[in-house]
Amino acid sequence: MIVAVSRDEQHRFSKATLPVIRLLTGLGVEGDAHCGETVKHRSRVAADPSQPNLRQVHLLHTELFDELAGAGIILSPGEMGENVTTRGIALLGLPVGARLRLGQDALVEITGLRNPCAQIESLRPGLLKAVLGRDAQGNLVRKAGIMGIVLAGGEVRPGDPISVTLPAPPHRPLERV
């Protein structure tokens, strides 16, 4: 289920929660600083402004907020810069190419993991370390949400359902984008 939706027309870390956002096919969230066919994230624009925008929509699970609260870090929807805050979907376990139907019309294809940067520390000291972990093999685990592209536009609201369609196997695990 969708818990909250957020956007910000400027490149700030956190985004304001709203009663509704509109996803635009091939672009992202209408009115958001990261909306567009090509990359909008500042460091990626500096490297190559012609790169396709694989980060049109940022989704984050509220279960992370629960985990962080256990470590004394209290966050609310939108504060980590996500556009869509979810509950009940194991976002980090989805494969590349999974499709999420958000509400009735919007369709987002998952492209990869959000790679949290040092800027996250300005939100809450210790947050960067808290959203990065290690698995049993010592591999880095990024917990700061997933990114996707908009295949079909539409309005998305808190309370809207989310349905998941997996791509044909073999499934590729998410990597940072």
Side-chain angles (χ1 to χ4, degrees):
M1 175 177 69
I2 296 171
V3 173
V5 294
S6 309
R7 73 158 194 248
D8 192 341
E9 55 281 334
Q10 296 184 33
H11 284 279
R12 292 181 279 232
F13 193 78
S14 296
K15 298 180 185 288
T17 57
L18 300 168
V20 63
I21 58 173
R22 175 175 284 284
L23 301 188
L24 303 174
T25 304
L27 297 173
V29 179
E30 183 178 51
D32 192 81
H34 293 98
C35 186
E37 291 180 9
T38 56
V39 293
K40 301 301 176 202
H41 194 271
R42 290 182 201 172
S43 66
R44 291 166 193 252
V45 169
D48 178 3
S50 67
Q51 294 177 72
N53 187 1
L54 301 178
R55 300 165 55 100
Q56 294 175 358
V57 181
H58 175 202
L59 299 101
L60 184 69
H61 50 299
T62 56
E63 291 83 358
L64 177 63
F65 295 159
D66 300 339
E67 178 184 330
L68 294 172
I73 300 172
I74 308 301
L75 293 171
S76 299
E79 281 192 282
M80 285 185 55
E82 77 274 12
N83 301 111
V84 179
T85 312
T86 69
R87 180 163 290 282
I89 302 285
L91 296 178
L92 301 178
L94 294 173
V96 172
R99 293 181 175 188
L100 302 180
R101 172 78 56 194
L102 307 177
Q104 290 193 16
D105 300 317
L107 184 64
V108 173
E109 183 173 285
I110 304 310
T111 56
L113 295 167
R114 176 189 184 188
N115 188 38
C117 66
Q119 186 182 19
I120 202 168
E121 280 297 300
S122 65
L123 183 59
R124 299 282 191 288
L127 185 55
L128 182 60
K129 184 177 179 184
V131 298
L132 295 174
R134 297 277 173 188
D135 65 15
Q137 293 77 36
N139 299 312
L140 184 64
V141 175
R142 293 171 176 87
K143 304 180 207 176
I146 62 173
M147 309 303 288
I149 58 172
V150 181
L151 298 181
E155 291 187 343
V156 180
R157 294 175 172 78
D160 280 352
I162 302 172
S163 61
V164 178
T165 304
L166 297 177
H171 294 158
R172 290 185 313 145
L174 297 176
E175 297 177 359
R176 70 183 178 97
V177 292

